[in-house]
Amino acid sequence: MVKTHSRCNLACRYCYLYEGPDDSWRTRPATLSPAVRAHLAARIAEHAATHRLPALSLVLHGGEPLLSGAAPLVALAREVRAAVPGRCAVRATVQTNGTLLTSRAAATLAEGGITVGLSLDGGRAAHNTSRTDHAGRPSWPAASRAARLLAEEQPGAYAGILTVVDPRTDPVDVYTSLLALRPPAIDLLLPHGNWTSPPPQRTADPGRTPYGDWLCAVFDVWWRAPRRATRVRLFEECLALLLGLPAGTESLGLDPFTAVVVETDGSIEQVDSLKSAYDGAAATGLDVRHHSFDEALRHPGVAARQRGPAALCATCRACPLLTVCGGGHYAHRWRSGHGFANPSVYCADLQRFIRHVAAALDRAAGRPRPDRPPRPATAQGGTP
């Protein structure tokens, strides 16, 4: 993940990056310098060659990447592709709020082999009231135009929509409204909160699971539809894990997380979500000028996320949903004074969601189990 621009033209009220405890973005340059770009491409090529990678993902992020225009993004992707071994495919994606996406920019990105992911909170203006610019003006008119533009003019470059779950909204309305924007995929994310800074609407009552209930309602509509109108990553990966298959997600499962961030000054950091925990949580002290990505993999903070169950607390290790939940998102486990060795702040919500999906899978397979909780395929070596 490369921070191609460290500033944003929006001021979303829930933004963990600009509204959270880590303000390191303030001291970083707005964009990548030519020297940092060259070092970055060389380090990616070095890693691809060392590990004989058949493919890698290059996520162009921010801030808002399109603040610097589409052409520099294409140039960066081209520079990386030219540097890596010829057998290594570079799958480039830009994640944008869509407000600066024009027909010309979309065409430039598509021609440069870059797909476009949009960040929206739903398919209606009312769902996006927290996504405003710095003057408080709504971003929805421009963002919705971007979604329609991609669907109509560049469907092959339309990667999908990323949506942050808000349990105050009607889940079915949010989902069906997003379908109207014709995304090939939807990524549903829980807001970045933790035990020290709990997410909105979360209560101490384990019997209340507003986020789990929201996800279950959307899952039912998606699961029962006569045809799949879109992919929903969280749902597909939960099903895969329940069937004992791997799933490359940060939100569920025990697979080692394999992403690293390069900031505009060349710093190598852990993923941004950690910045929601405390100031400096994502820092490694490494940079692309002097350090390889293998050195980043050996950093204690990164290595902790490669240890599987050994990195989890005793509560998680004893849970029958361990191999599916995986402790939830790493950033959501933080508790000041106790580190990350805790269950997710969304533990009850995740249990509610996973059990609901497992029950639907059992019914589809003709295995109703109303009286006992589902066990993932690999939890104790048996079958579901």
Side-chain angles (χ1 to χ4, degrees):
M1 184 179 293
V2 181
K3 294 303 191 74
T4 61
H5 207 293
S6 65
R7 306 297 190 266
C8 189
N9 60 327
L10 297 187
C12 300
R13 296 186 184 98
Y14 56 74
C15 182
Y16 65 91
L17 186 58
Y18 298 107
E19 302 295 330
D22 191 313
D23 62 356
S24 56
W25 62 273
R26 295 181 183 277
T27 60
R28 291 198 164 104
T31 59
L32 299 163
S33 69
V36 169
R37 287 165 56 127
H39 285 297
L40 168 67
R43 289 298 184 188
I44 293 174
E46 172 188 56
H47 198 72
T50 300
H51 298 279
R52 300 182 180 180
L53 300 182
L56 61 88
S57 295
L58 179 67
V59 182
L60 308 175
H61 219 278
E64 173 45 50
L66 287 175
L67 279 171
S68 52
L73 302 178
V74 171
L76 175 58
R78 186 181 299 123
E79 194 169 349
V80 171
R81 286 180 173 128
V84 300
R87 65 180 178 276
C88 181
V90 176
R91 299 162 183 160
T93 301
V94 60
Q95 189 66 36
T96 172
N97 59 41
T99 58
L100 303 176
L101 189 71
T102 63
S103 290
R104 177 173 293 183
T108 298
L109 293 168
E111 290 164 6
I114 299 176
T115 58
V116 182
L118 295 177
S119 297
L120 293 172
D121 289 344
R124 307 189 200 286
H127 300 150
N128 292 274
T129 55
S130 292
R131 301 183 64 82
T132 63
D133 67 12
H134 292 272
R137 294 170 297 204
S139 64
W140 170 250
S144 57
R145 281 197 300 272
R148 290 192 294 270
L149 184 158
L150 286 169
E152 294 167 8
E153 298 181 17
Q154 303 294 341
Y158 194 179
I161 293 176
L162 183 154
T163 294
V164 176
V165 172
D166 182 349
R168 296 170 299 182
T169 59
D170 181 294
V172 176
D173 181 51
V174 169
Y175 176 64
T176 54
S177 68
L178 287 171
L179 291 183
L181 300 177
R182 292 179 280 169
I186 295 173
D187 212 350
L188 299 174
L189 302 182
L190 295 172
H192 288 315
N194 52 63
W195 294 103
T196 300
S197 300
Q201 311 302 309
R202 184 193 168 276
T203 71
D205 181 358
R208 290 194 59 207
T209 53
Y211 292 92
D213 296 345
W214 196 99
L215 291 172
C216 289
V218 177
F219 175 82
D220 285 344
V221 176
W222 177 82
W223 180 253
R224 295 167 182 167
R227 57 176 291 273
R228 292 282 181 264
T230 188
R231 300 183 62 190
V232 180
R233 182 184 177 194
L234 182 65
F235 300 165
E236 291 181 349
E237 292 180 339
C238 184
L239 288 163
L241 289 162
L242 284 163
L243 291 168
L245 302 172
T249 174
E250 190 176 9
S251 301
L252 295 173
L254 291 168
D255 286 355
F257 190 58
T258 57
V260 72
V261 175
V262 177
E263 295 281 355
T264 54
D265 62 357
S267 297
I268 299 173
E269 295 207 334
Q270 300 178 70
V271 289
D272 269 359
S273 55
L274 291 181
K275 295 181 179 181
S276 64
Y278 61 91
D279 187 15
T284 65
L286 309 178
D287 68 79
V288 292
R289 294 178 184 85
H290 306 103
H291 305 96
S292 70
F293 290 128
D294 273 351
E295 290 176 272
L297 278 168
R298 292 192 292 269
H299 182 274
V302 177
R305 305 188 67 181
Q306 315 294 312
R307 295 172 58 217
L312 300 177
C313 67
T315 300
C316 290
R317 292 197 302 271
C319 180
L321 300 181
L322 169 66
T323 57
V324 180
C325 175
H329 196 295
Y330 191 77
H332 301 165
R333 304 174 203 165
W334 170 257
R335 187 193 295 269
S336 182
H338 298 269
F340 293 96
N342 308 287
S344 168
V345 73
Y346 292 107
C347 179
D349 294 277
L350 290 172
Q351 289 195 49
R352 162 88 168 100
F353 168 66
I354 293 168
R355 292 176 189 278
H356 185 82
V357 175
L361 189 59
D362 279 340
R363 287 192 296 270
R367 296 191 305 255
R369 292 184 297 178
D371 299 323
R372 62 190 179 98
R375 250 175 221 282
T378 56
Q380 294 191 353
T383 57

